[in-house]
Amino acid sequence: YFRELIEILAISRNQKLPQPGEESQVLELLIQRDGEFQELMKLAVDQGKIHHEMQLLEKVVEKRDNDIQQLQKQLKEAEHILATAVYQAKEKLKSIEKARKG
C-alpha cells in the first residue's frame, strides 16, 4: 500500500515542477489505503474476539467431557453395586424356597 505512495512522492520530488492533480491523487490514494487499513484492523479485532470465544467454549466442552466421564464412572459403579445386590437377593430367595421345602 504505502509503497505506491512513496513511489509517487519520490517521483514528484525528483521533478522540478509538481504535475497538476498530483497532490490530490496522492491524497486520494492515502485516504483509500487508510480505509482499507481500517477495515483490516476491524477484521483482525473481530477475528481475535472470535478466537477468544472459541477458546472459552473449548474449555467449557473440556469441562463437560470431564463431567460426563465422571458420571459414566459413577454409573458403572452403581450398576455393579446393583447387579451384586440383585444376585444376592436371588440367592437369598433360593435359600428361602429351599428352607420352606425342607
Side-chain angles (χ1 to χ4, degrees):
Y1 299 135
F2 297 109
R3 186 177 191 184
E4 292 175 44
L5 274 176
I6 292 170
E7 287 175 1
I8 291 172
L9 290 173
I11 290 170
S12 67
R13 280 191 180 162
N14 290 336
Q15 295 172 347
K16 291 181 182 176
L17 294 172
Q19 298 296 315
E22 196 171 81
E23 292 172 355
S24 64
Q25 181 186 1
V26 170
L27 188 58
E28 285 175 25
L29 186 59
L30 185 59
I31 291 169
Q32 177 187 349
R33 295 301 186 224
D34 182 61
E36 292 170 1
F37 178 73
Q38 294 302 324
E39 286 179 23
L40 286 173
M41 287 300 294
K42 183 182 180 305
L43 181 63
V45 168
D46 291 344
Q47 286 180 342
K49 287 178 184 176
I50 290 170
H51 180 70
H52 180 69
E53 288 173 12
M54 285 176 62
Q55 286 179 324
L56 292 176
L57 288 173
E58 284 173 358
K59 287 180 182 177
V60 169
V61 168
E62 187 178 329
K63 184 182 179 337
R64 294 291 185 249
D65 282 347
N66 289 337
D67 292 345
I68 289 170
Q69 287 175 359
Q70 280 298 112
L71 288 170
Q72 285 176 330
K73 184 180 175 186
Q74 291 171 358
L75 196 58
K76 285 257 185 212
E77 290 172 1
E79 181 183 25
H80 177 70
I81 291 169
L82 204 56
T84 303
V86 168
Y87 174 78
Q88 289 174 351
K90 284 181 181 177
E91 292 299 310
K92 189 80 162 176
L93 281 174
K94 283 181 189 175
S95 66
I96 290 172
E97 285 177 19
K98 277 186 185 178
R100 283 182 183 168
K101 289 179 183 176

